[in-house]
Amino acid sequence: MSDDSPPDGDASDGGAPGVTFRDRDRLVRTPAHGVALDCLAAGIAAARPDRLIPSAVSVRDGTLRIEGSTTAAGADCAGEYDLADYDRVVLIGAGKASAEVAAALAGVLEGDDREFAEGVVVTEDPAERPSTAGVEILPGDHPVPSDAGVESARRVLDVVERAGPDDLVLAAITGGGSALLAAPADPISPDDLRELTEGLLACGASIDEINAVRKHCSAVKGGRLARSAAPATVVTLAISDVIGDPLDAIASGPTVPDPSTYADALAVLDRYDLDVPGSVRERLEAGAAGDLAETPTAGDPAFDRARAFVVGNGRTALDDAADAAAERGYEPLVLAAGVRGEAQGAGTTHAAIAEECAVRGSPAEPPTVLLSGGETTVTLGDADGTGGPNAEFAASAGLALAEGPLGGDGREDGDGDDGPRIVVASADTDGIDGPTDAAGGIADATTLDPDAARDALDRHDAYPLLDEAGSLLRTGPTGTNVNDLRAIVIEAADSEGES
């Protein structure tokens, strides 16, 4: 199958710049490897704020109009705001893509000769992010909160607490905001919050369970930021990194109602037998006993003048990845936008589906590209390996292919001259897979030594395994975060390889 399209996510229509995988020439061993990378890059680029915001937000004749996703549960689909009704337009934000959202929003406002009166967003590596007039870009850390993030969160709180009833507060909320916007509630210290976060991330709890705890240990999460901003008008623009786009789960929902309770948070600690700092349990038990105010729920006055829109999500990335596959002559099939569970199991399952396509032409006839989104997890237990869910997914899939019905070279006939028939690539759309510098990995049936792969996967040590094989994917920070994205390329049996 030939590929005459631009490599990676390069914009060929004058749109936003693309996403590039480092060492692409080395990674692209066959055309199938190139197609896999191109699909990932196209999906990631589509979910960047410089593409999303101009499509979703506009100002015409002094009216700000927002069009959100129609699939996000509980989110608003469209809204209009007459800017003449407000004394000031203020921006706050938190998350890995919040600075990029701020820059894109500023561009939209500038088109109508307007600007932010004041603003502050918290993100990683602010010196590497786009600057925006009138907006402070402050530091935080992910996935474990830092003292810098605590100080930055205090600045955000200061801005919203000074907002008045005639102000319009735009909240740029993106994935990663839970850790970046770190405001521990009394009596929890920043060190206690870090210890709690590390325990939650390692125990295998779901994102809903983790967020239930984090919200009730925070001064801003779970709608508390909206409560601080009232009675200002608050408009949330969210880029979702959570399966199903529940607003309360994106960055732990600082500006939206919270359905969880102190009792829910305590139940998570007990369910996973977590040994947490005494200050954490003290706060949660006091809240469960009714001694502390609950997070605001739907119907709370804090949300009388608040609305929320999801302007991008994992489906955004999947749609453009599918288009990239079709442009290259492959039939795209989206398996699911919400894959979850353990990364190893998901990798094995995806490999099995790909084999079924290759052998029986079902559920898709080769040449085809299977696509999926969502967010898998790695439960470390006592292991101390290095890697993230996407590296572990790719390594597991590569091992499964090597041991599967197509054999070590991926060909039914055992003739490996044309290269493997199946290539699996998986990446975190933010460019950071777990606590590593890689976005994910790419593998086929010949990439890994099965014995070494089994040993590494047993220790959750996929990063050095793929690194040694030259199969780690690196993009650097991408400026977005909409969960994981996976592309599995299945060539037809008579495909001719090209260099």
Side-chain angles (χ1 to χ4, degrees), residues 46-86:
R48 287 169 44 139
D50 50 9
R51 290 266 293 275
L52 292 173
I53 296 301
S55 297
V57 184
S58 61
V59 179
R60 183 172 299 175
D61 298 327
T63 297
L64 175 71
R65 179 171 176 80
I66 303 167
E67 296 184 9
S69 168
T70 59
T71 62
D76 293 290
C77 295
E80 292 186 346
Y81 300 86
D82 186 345
L83 296 177
D85 292 341
Y86 303 98

Side-chain angles (χ1 to χ4, degrees), residues 394-419:
S396 177
L399 174 61
L401 292 171
E403 297 181 329
L406 300 185
D409 61 13
R411 292 286 183 180
E412 285 186 88
D413 58 10
D415 180 3
D417 292 343
D418 291 334

